Amino acid sequence: MDAKHYFDVEAYFRKLCDANRLARAESFRFCTCSGIESLQEPLQRFARDKAFFCVDDINDGSITRGQGGVFYKHRTITVFLMRRYTFNDEPSRLHALSVCRRLMNQLLSKLIVDAEDLENELVYLDTANVMCRELGQYFLNGCTGLYFMIDISEPVDLVYASEEWQS
């Protein structure tokens, strides 16, 4: 990552999904979606996969000027962790939700470690305040989970280059 290229969120979280022992043991499959209203990939794979590690491929953000005149692109990254359970079986639902909670905690602990490593691309990750929300009991019949949102503020190059413009 540099001031002209943004951090590749999808590649980073795909790597975390592949490397996490709990995600592997519980058969979480990495996928992407376009927000909670459009969980297209998990829904397409719902019949054959039992757990989903889904990264939102769109994100809201803003560009702000920081101290010293440096501009930053603030992005909010959303990760959904969802697991199927036996429909109308509350203990099964609570177990599935528990797995998602444990996985989220493991992911957050990894994000904190990575954000404190000054030699990687995650030094701009804001791990001090992570919003999370569990999905309701009737979100999808036979599927429960949660999502968390984490902010990243990356420097962005907004230096005017006259050669990019016609007179």
Side-chain angles (χ1 to χ4, degrees):
M1 178 190 73
D2 55 38
K4 293 191 181 284
H5 302 93
Y6 293 130
F7 170 65
D8 188 344
V9 173
E10 188 176 320
Y12 174 74
F13 280 104
R14 180 183 300 274
K15 188 171 106 178
L16 292 185
C17 181
D18 291 344
N20 181 271
R21 289 183 176 147
L22 177 61
R24 291 173 64 126
E26 293 292 332
S27 302
F28 276 83
R29 298 290 180 245
F30 184 85
C31 58
T32 61
C33 67
S34 295
I36 196 165
E37 306 85 17
S38 182
L39 293 167
Q40 67 280 4
E41 196 169 344
L43 289 174
Q44 290 170 355
R45 297 164 46 171
F46 194 74
R48 69 177 184 268
D49 292 332
K50 72 176 188 176
F52 307 94
F53 186 123
C54 191
V55 174
D56 193 344
D57 61 9
I58 58 172
N59 52 65
D60 294 325
S62 63
I63 295 178
T64 59
R65 178 181 250 162
Q67 292 181 336
V70 176
F71 287 90
Y72 291 90
K73 168 75 174 184
H74 299 281
R75 297 189 292 159
T76 300
I77 299 157
T78 306
V79 177
F80 296 90
L81 302 174
M82 300 174 293
R83 191 171 188 282
R84 288 187 9 220
Y85 65 92
T86 304
F87 183 65
N88 279 340
D89 182 343
E90 187 63 10
S92 176
R93 186 185 78 82
L94 291 174
H95 173 73
L97 185 55
S98 173
V99 169
C100 293
R101 289 173 181 153
R102 286 191 346 246
L103 180 56
M104 181 187 73
N105 288 344
Q106 290 177 17
L107 291 168
L108 293 178
S109 70
K110 176 68 170 147
L111 290 170
I112 291 167
V113 167
D114 286 351
E116 292 176 357
D117 179 358
L118 300 179
E119 295 187 15
N120 70 30
E121 300 179 316
L122 292 168
V123 294
Y124 300 104
L125 194 65
D126 180 9
T127 57
N129 185 28
V130 178
M131 196 287 288
C132 59
R133 183 177 183 117
E134 294 180 357
L135 302 171
Q137 183 172 357
Y138 302 106
F139 166 69
L140 282 173
N141 289 340
C143 187
T144 190
L146 53 83
Y147 64 92
F148 64 92
M149 301 168 76
I150 190 160
D151 294 325
I152 188 166
S153 297
E154 306 164 276
V156 61
D157 182 1
L158 295 180
V159 174
Y160 175 77
S162 60
E163 67 273 5
E164 295 175 345
W165 297 91
Q166 293 181 4
S167 300

